């Protein structure tokens, strides 16, 4: 398991998302900010943390820039970590 350096309150929120997954509930994070603020980098880090804790695969194959492609992937898979950027 990787040692993640995540701010304490953020880690608590991510851990709640992990518990929600175990309870068969969906999670959705919406991140807003200006161009170049680091949103994509932060979200990929969070996704890696959640995937690692759940023992799920997460790679560039789970990151989408096109909504249609993301929805197709989500429809044919289950229990995946998906990032739409």
């Amino acid at each position: 398991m990787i040692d993640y350096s995540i701010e304490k309150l953020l880690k608590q929120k991510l851990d709640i998302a992990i518990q929600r997954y175990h309870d068969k509930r969906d999670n959705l994070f919406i991140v807003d900010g200006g161009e170049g603020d680091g949103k994509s980098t932060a979200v990929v880090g969070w996704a890696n943390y959640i995937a690692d804790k759940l023992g799920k695969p997460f790679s560039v194959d789970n990151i989408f820039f096109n909504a249609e492609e993301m929805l197709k992937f989500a429809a044919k898979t289950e229990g995946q970590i998906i990032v739409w950027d």
Side-chain angles (χ1 to χ4, degrees), residues 5 12 16 21 32 34-36 38 41 46 52 55 75 78 80:
S5 179
Q12 288 174 352
I16 288 169
Y21 174 84
D32 185 35
E35 186 174 340
T41 302
W46 304 343
D52 186 45
E78 206 171 296
Q80 294 294 309

Side-chain angles (χ1 to χ4, degrees), residues 1-8 10-22 27 29 44-58 79-81:
M1 192 156 315
I2 299 169
D3 183 29
Y4 291 88
S5 179
I6 300 174
E7 193 271 330
K8 183 180 176 182
L10 174 58
K11 183 180 176 299
Q12 288 174 352
K13 291 187 184 300
L14 297 175
D15 289 341
I16 288 169
I18 291 167
Q19 183 56 52
R20 286 177 51 86
Y21 174 84
H22 290 303
N27 292 284
F29 294 90
V44 167
W46 304 343
N48 272 304
Y49 172 79
I50 292 170
D52 186 45
K53 293 291 184 179
L54 292 174
K56 296 273 184 190
F58 182 77
Q80 294 294 309
I81 310 310

Side-chain angles (χ1 to χ4, degrees), residues 28-72:
L28 172 67
F29 294 90
I30 298 174
V31 181
D32 185 35
E35 186 174 340
D37 285 347
K39 300 175 300 296
S40 299
T41 302
V43 170
V44 167
W46 304 343
N48 272 304
Y49 172 79
I50 292 170
D52 186 45
K53 293 291 184 179
L54 292 174
K56 296 273 184 190
F58 182 77
S59 70
V60 296
D61 295 333
N62 299 72
I63 302 171
F64 296 88
F65 300 95
N66 178 290
E68 279 187 34
E69 290 177 18
M70 180 207 46
L71 291 171
K72 284 179 190 175

